Amino acid sequence: NAGVTQTPKFQVLKTGQSMTLQCAQDMNHEYMSWYRQDPGMGLRLIHYSVGAGITDQGEVPNGYNVSRSTTEDFPLRLLSAAPSQTSVYFCASRRTQQDWSPLHFGNGTRLTVT
Amino acid sequence: GQQVMQIPQYQHVQEGEDFTTYCNSSTTLSNIQWYKQRPGGHPVFLIQLVKSGEVKKQKRLTFQFGEAKKNSSLHITATQTTDVGTYFCAPPAGGTSYGKLTFGQGTILTVHP
C-alpha cells in the first residue's frame, strides 16, 4: 500500500494564480483532511471530510476549496493564490471520523506564492 | 473555544539528557494523541491516551494524561540524536468533538552529540 500520496512535492505560484493540490489514499479511509504548517504555528486544519460527498471547514478555510467525489481522493484548490498561503500543506487520513484512529500523513507539498 | 498550549517551543539538550514537553488545554479532553515530525518529514503517530491519569511507555518515551484530562506530557529519558524533531500533542477540537483533530504548536527538540 502506498498510504497517503500528495502531489506535487513543490510548487511555486504567482499571486492570483490558481492550482489544485492532489491527495489520494489507498487505505479505504473515510476521514480525510488538509493541514497547513507554518513556523511556530503548528499544524492548522483547513478542511476535512468524513466521507464521499461530505466536507466541512476547519480553522483556516478561507481561500481554499475542497471536494470529495470519491473515497480515495481529496483535492485542495487554491482559488487565487496569495503570499499568505505560502506554507507546507499536509493531507492526512484515518479510518473513520468516530474511532480516533491515528492520522496517516502524506509527505507534504511545499508551496511558495510570490 | 479550546486553547491548547504546548511548552516549551524549543528545547536543546546534550545527548543523554532527559527531555519533557507539556501540553495544556483549557477544556477537558476525551483523548489526546502525540505525533513526531522529523526535520523535513511528515508527522508520524506515536500514541493515544484516553483514560484519566493514564501512563504509557514506549522504550525511552513516557506519556502521561492528567487526572483532570486537561494536560498531557511526553518525557524522553536519555535522549539520542535519533530523537531530534518536533513533537506535537493533538487533542480533538473542542475537547471532545469527533472529526477535527487540532495540533499544539509543537516542541522542537535538538540533541547535541
Side-chain angles (χ1 to χ4, degrees), chain A residues 4 9 28 31 36 41-42 45 48 54 62 76 99 106 111:
Chain A
V4 180
K9 290 184 179 181
N28 201 30
Y31 180 89
R36 61 176 288 172
M41 303 288 287
L45 183 63
Y48 67 101
I54 306 169
N62 292 341
L76 178 71
D99 69 1
L111 174 69

Side-chain angles (χ1 to χ4, degrees), chain A residues 31 35 37 39-43 45 48 50 56-59 90 94 97-108 110, chain B residues 9-10 30-31 33 35 37 40-45 48 86 88 91-93 96-106:
Chain A
Y31 180 89
Y35 289 86
Q37 184 173 30
M41 303 288 287
L43 292 133
L45 183 63
Y48 67 101
V50 300
D56 205 347
Q57 296 180 350
E59 303 169 72
F90 288 101
R94 71 166 182 261
Q97 176 190 12
Q98 292 89 349
D99 69 1
W100 291 115
S101 54
L103 277 176
H104 296 258
F105 283 82
N107 289 332
R110 186 174 296 275
Chain B
Q9 189 173 1
Y10 302 95
S30 61
N31 69 90
Q33 296 180 357
Y35 290 77
Q37 184 178 24
H42 59 274
V44 175
F45 174 81
Q48 176 173 285
T86 303
F88 293 99
T96 59
S97 66
Y98 287 117
K100 301 181 192 180
L101 194 66
T102 60
F103 282 78
Q105 297 91 337

Side-chain angles (χ1 to χ4, degrees), chain B residues 24-68:
Chain B
N24 300 308
S25 171
S26 57
T27 59
T28 302
L29 306 172
S30 61
N31 69 90
I32 192 165
Q33 296 180 357
W34 284 89
Y35 290 77
K36 176 185 178 181
Q37 184 178 24
R38 294 183 186 274
H42 59 274
V44 175
F45 174 81
L46 292 176
I47 210 155
Q48 176 173 285
L49 305 171
V50 179
K51 300 177 183 177
S52 170
E54 188 169 17
V55 178
K56 287 189 176 180
K57 294 190 176 183
Q58 290 179 350
K59 297 183 180 178
R60 294 178 294 103
L61 277 61
T62 302
F63 303 83
Q64 294 191 31
F65 202 11
E67 293 290 342

